[in-house]
Amino acid sequence: MIESTLFKSIKMVLPEGEREGDLLVENGVIKAIGPSITSSAEQIIKEKHLTLIPGCIDPHVHFRDPGITHKEDLESGSFAAAAGGVTSFFDMPNTNPATISLKSMADKKIIASEKSIVNYNFFIGATNDNLEECLKAQNIAGIKIFVGSSTGNMLVNEPTILEEFFKKSNKVIAVHSEDEELIRKNEQELKGSSDPITHLHIRDEQAAVKCTTMVLELAKKHQTRLHICHLTTWQEVDMFAELKEYPFITTEVTPHHLLLSAPNIYDVKGTFAQANPPIRDKRHQQALFGALQEGIIHCIGSDHAPHLPEEKIKAFPNAPSGIPAVESTLPLLLNQVNKGHFSLEQIVHLTSKAPAQCYNIQFKGMLKEGYDADLVLIDMDQKKEVNPKQHKSKSKWSIYEGQTLQGWPMATYVNGNLAYREGDIFSAIKGKEIVLGS
């Protein structure tokens, strides 16, 4: 491993804005940033046409390890992350076995330490009878509660049990917010339909709105640190616009909810567009887009949920829900910068600094002296077509296939070590467990 690297005369996105200068890395940490650094280094990198940004932190992935590793595992998922400029991730608990105990959490961290080339941590999953186990878990991303059922068998929708989690939690509670009763009622009414857009009507906007209303009230009542995963409706956006006095309540948006809309996406992509919660119509999409621009939505989470093409191609309702996204999130957002919808500083904030703030991640999310050298070199001018056959994820398909995007990650450094460069993965390196503040 190279112990010191000097990035010389390079454009950087620093906390105070875009600057040109030098950045010195020593032993995996940013040692110095300045107009001209004269210190010697083992490696000098001069990339005048590229821009250096902090590595992305993806707070929402499903890397399927253990038990569902034909779809993805912690090695292939981390390869995909590195290729997408993601240097740290939080993985969800709906694996097999589910991550719902201290033992399953410890086992998962061991697997990650052996397989992952980027930094990692995990959510523990809530069930109807594991509150005490969740409270005992140390250095985890948070407690994931599926209030509406999704992939896997975790569901907590009994009001008294839910309230106990909010009352006693000493961690972030991250909620998949859909009302199970409404979903089941809609399912019965629409039973027999094979049209993929039926998925949108089963998991309709009211199912999201009803559940989010309930968990927001619980968080306010108990002053609980709450994070709503993958926001999808204009009504929820309106709720969050009124939450400025509650800084302990945050939310995220996925690229597919931000950039795609019904009914067109279901007409074109069929069950490949199926996700939980679903991609909704343009009114919702535009509300999410505006909320992200205005800072109402706090960060981006890919909700990377890989399935193989032969699974996704099944007719509705037999196809699984989920869209692979960890590899394409940053290019999609850089493309939006080139379109003039966001500044590069905004995207760096949403993908790096903001997730670090939301989850109290120590020494990550910024190009700053003393911070971990999780770095990405991006080419804002490169135009390239999305080609999932070249992706590192096992899924080998993309809902964005064929789109030409401008702005791509060229190289990814994890703790100062090169993990990815222009299609090549450097699998000898290993990421570290992310340290979270209390």
Side-chain angles (χ1 to χ4, degrees):
M1 300 297 176
I2 293 171
E3 293 183 358
S4 61
T5 302
L6 178 60
F7 293 86
K8 196 75 182 160
S9 302
I10 195 164
K11 288 181 287 184
M12 299 178 281
V13 180
L14 303 175
E16 61 269 27
E18 292 187 47
R19 301 282 188 275
E20 186 171 310
D22 297 352
L23 183 144
L24 177 65
V25 174
E26 287 185 359
N27 299 314
V29 174
I30 299 171
K31 179 74 172 178
I33 301 172
S36 181
I37 295 172
T38 56
S39 303
S40 61
E42 290 175 78
Q43 179 175 247
I44 308 290
I45 295 176
K46 295 181 179 179
E47 301 274 14
K48 282 192 172 291
H49 66 295
L50 302 183
T51 301
L52 192 66
I53 65 171
C56 297
I57 299 168
D58 192 333
H60 192 151
V61 303
H62 298 265
F63 283 165
R64 310 298 192 199
D65 204 343
I68 324 172
T69 52
H70 71 282
K71 299 175 189 281
E72 198 80 278
D73 64 17
L74 282 160
E75 181 179 71
S76 64
S78 74
F79 289 178
V86 173
T87 54
S88 298
F89 66 81
F90 289 157
D91 184 61
M92 291 296 167
N94 48 337
T95 48
N96 185 21
T99 315
I100 55 175
S101 67
L102 298 182
K103 184 183 184 307
S104 58
M105 176 63 72
D107 290 347
K108 204 166 180 179
K109 287 185 177 183
I110 290 169
I111 296 169
S113 72
E114 295 168 347
K115 287 186 175 183
S116 181
I117 67 167
V118 302
N119 303 309
Y120 55 85
N121 212 316
F122 302 95
F123 287 91
I124 192 167
T127 70
N128 287 321
D129 55 8
N130 76 339
L131 173 59
E132 293 307 315
E133 198 86 344
C134 290
L135 297 179
K136 289 176 190 172
Q138 298 296 311
N139 197 50
I140 62 168
I143 301 168
K144 178 65 181 287
I145 301 183
F146 291 90
V147 185
S149 57
S150 188
T151 307
N153 58 1
M154 283 171 286
L155 175 66
V156 181
N157 66 335
E158 171 59 45
T160 55
I161 295 173
L162 262 179
E163 179 135 22
E164 282 297 293
F165 272 95
F166 276 82
K167 184 178 179 181
K168 294 181 178 177
S169 174
N170 53 2
K171 298 172 176 65
V172 178
I173 289 182
V175 170
H176 180 115
S177 185
E178 294 183 283
D179 184 80
E180 184 69 9
E181 188 180 348
L182 275 178
I183 291 171
R184 288 179 181 174
K185 175 175 171 288
N186 293 339
E187 219 165 23
Q188 284 302 310
E189 290 177 359
L190 296 165
K191 201 170 183 179
S193 173
S194 59
D195 188 339
I197 204 168
T198 306
H199 188 71
L200 169 63
H201 302 307
I202 289 172
R203 294 175 175 267
D204 65 15
E205 62 193 86
Q206 289 310 315
V209 171
K210 181 180 177 184
C211 185
T212 297
T213 302
M214 175 188 64
V215 295
L216 287 178
E217 288 308 310
L218 284 172
K220 291 176 188 176
K221 178 180 177 182
H222 297 291
Q223 299 287 291
T224 311
R225 174 71 187 90
L226 170 65
H227 184 82
I228 302 286
C229 297
H230 38 48
L231 208 71
T232 60
T233 72
W234 67 262
Q235 296 97 320
E236 290 166 298
V237 165
D238 283 357
M239 291 181 210
F240 269 90
E242 302 298 320
L243 286 175
K244 289 188 173 64
E245 63 188 280
Y246 299 97
F248 52 86
I249 301 174
T250 56
T251 191
E252 71 193 24
V253 69
T254 74
H256 47 276
H257 294 121
L258 183 72
L259 301 173
L260 305 173
S261 64
N264 177 63
I265 192 63
Y266 295 97
D267 294 338
V268 175
K269 297 291 184 179
T271 50
F272 284 86
Q274 187 178 314
N276 299 337
I279 297 168
R280 305 193 190 279
D281 65 41
K282 271 209 173 294
R283 182 180 183 186
H284 297 291
Q285 182 207 2
Q286 289 167 352
L288 295 169
F289 206 94
L292 193 65
Q293 289 173 319
E294 294 165 27
I296 294 168
I297 293 174
H298 301 84
C299 66
I300 308 282
S302 72
D303 194 9
H304 176 77
H307 302 282
L308 299 185
E310 54 266 34
E311 297 168 325
K312 285 294 284 186
I313 204 167
K314 292 177 182 177
F316 183 83
N318 299 314
S321 293
I323 293 171
V326 72
E327 217 153 338
S328 51
T329 296
L330 183 58
L332 287 163
L333 295 171
L334 296 179
N335 191 57
Q336 292 299 312
V337 172
N338 278 311
K339 287 184 172 185
H341 297 310
F342 298 90
S343 69
L344 182 55
E345 288 175 56
Q346 280 178 298
I347 293 306
V348 166
H349 175 81
L350 289 163
T351 57
S352 299
K353 184 179 178 181
Q357 289 175 329
C358 284
Y359 288 94
N360 200 12
I361 303 171
Q362 304 296 291
F363 302 109
K364 293 189 185 295
M366 289 187 280
L367 300 186
K368 189 175 179 180
E369 291 175 7
Y371 273 53
D372 296 334
D374 296 334
L375 316 168
V376 181
L377 283 168
I378 59 172
D379 186 345
M380 289 301 295
D381 296 323
Q382 186 183 59
K383 292 181 180 178
K384 194 169 69 171
E385 195 174 278
V386 177
N387 180 1
K389 290 181 177 60
Q390 296 176 355
H391 282 184
K392 307 304 178 186
S393 171
K394 289 184 180 182
S395 55
K396 299 301 181 198
W397 67 273
S398 172
I399 203 164
Y400 309 102
E401 182 172 5
Q403 286 190 29
T404 297
L405 306 178
Q406 182 180 349
W408 288 82
M410 306 303 291
T412 302
Y413 295 80
V414 179
N415 304 307
N417 298 308
L418 184 64
Y420 168 83
R421 177 83 203 208
E422 296 181 66
D424 293 327
I425 291 289
F426 298 89
S427 57
I429 79 157
K430 290 293 175 276
K432 297 179 181 179
E433 181 178 334
I434 299 164
V435 178
L436 298 142
S438 55

